[in-house]
Amino acid sequence: MNLPNRLTILRIIMIPVCLAFWALGLHFLSAVVFALAAATDFLDGYIARKKNIVTTFGKFADPVADKILVLTAMIFLTASGRLPAWAVSIVAARELMVDGLRLVAVGKGNVIAAGWLGKIKTNLQFFCVLSGMLLPQGHWITLVLAILMAIMTIWSGAQYFWASRDVFKEEKQ
């Protein structure tokens, strides 16, 4: 197993550690673990592209690890009153819709690669979660980040659907 895939697995392992620290009230340590997990997202992709060791496992596991990390942390923050539920609902709906789009595309022999808007969206999600972890409940910075994250989440989702609109054309019989 190559280094990028090990980093992806490490990110998945860090999720329960992050959540355990949060549940124990060790919010700063939880935020540190979350930040390190988020950093592995950048690092694994960078190494895989730089060394040309992109794998099928990595293409699948990397975005799944990101989604589990972000959504799990967002759910904990929502339950703690630190992140608005509407923002988390937008993120969850977009992720499910884009994953569904990717499944339909794969069924037709197309692969939908991650775009720059999706990468910006993911980074905004990371910063929003960190803000919710580190700042007091109801802080205006977290709310502004949640709004920006929601806008970018909708925008990047719409971009995926627009760029892949041919996937939904019916084939002539």
Side-chain angles (χ1 to χ4, degrees):
M1 181 171 292
N2 66 31
L3 179 59
N5 290 344
R6 287 185 183 141
L7 288 170
T8 298
I9 290 171
L10 176 63
R11 182 161 63 257
I12 293 168
I13 292 169
M14 293 171 86
I15 295 166
V17 175
C18 175
L19 298 179
F21 283 146
W22 186 265
L24 293 170
L26 303 170
H27 296 171
F28 181 76
L29 280 177
S30 181
V32 168
V33 172
F34 181 87
L36 290 172
T40 67
D41 178 43
F42 168 77
L43 198 56
D44 66 5
Y46 175 79
I47 293 169
R49 286 185 297 277
K50 179 116 175 138
K51 297 192 179 243
N52 197 23
I53 49 176
V54 175
T55 65
T56 301
F57 174 81
K59 287 179 189 177
F60 166 76
D62 180 63
V64 170
D66 294 345
K67 290 170 188 172
I68 295 170
L69 174 66
V70 167
L71 287 170
T72 305
M74 285 182 173
I75 290 166
F76 258 63
L77 290 173
T78 299
S80 302
R82 292 174 172 259
L83 200 61
W86 58 261
V88 179
S89 297
I90 289 170
V91 170
R94 183 262 189 210
E95 299 303 348
L96 289 169
M97 290 171 63
V98 170
D99 284 351
L101 172 65
R102 284 189 165 128
L103 285 173
V104 170
V106 164
K108 293 189 171 192
N110 299 327
V111 174
I112 300 174
W116 280 105
L117 289 178
K119 293 179 187 309
I120 293 168
K121 177 260 323 168
T122 298
N123 284 303
L124 272 170
Q125 290 173 350
F126 289 155
F127 285 119
C128 187
V129 167
L130 283 171
S131 176
M133 290 177 152
L134 295 172
L135 297 176
Q137 182 177 345
H139 199 282
W140 68 269
I141 291 175
T142 304
L143 179 60
V144 168
L145 284 171
I147 292 167
L148 292 173
M149 175 188 71
I151 291 167
M152 186 55 68
T153 296
I154 293 167
W155 186 11
S156 68
Q159 185 269 332
Y160 276 106
F161 276 86
W162 179 255
S164 304
R165 61 192 177 278
D166 291 344
V167 167
F168 296 104
K169 287 185 178 175
E170 295 297 322
E171 297 173 18
K172 293 182 182 177
Q173 302 252 349

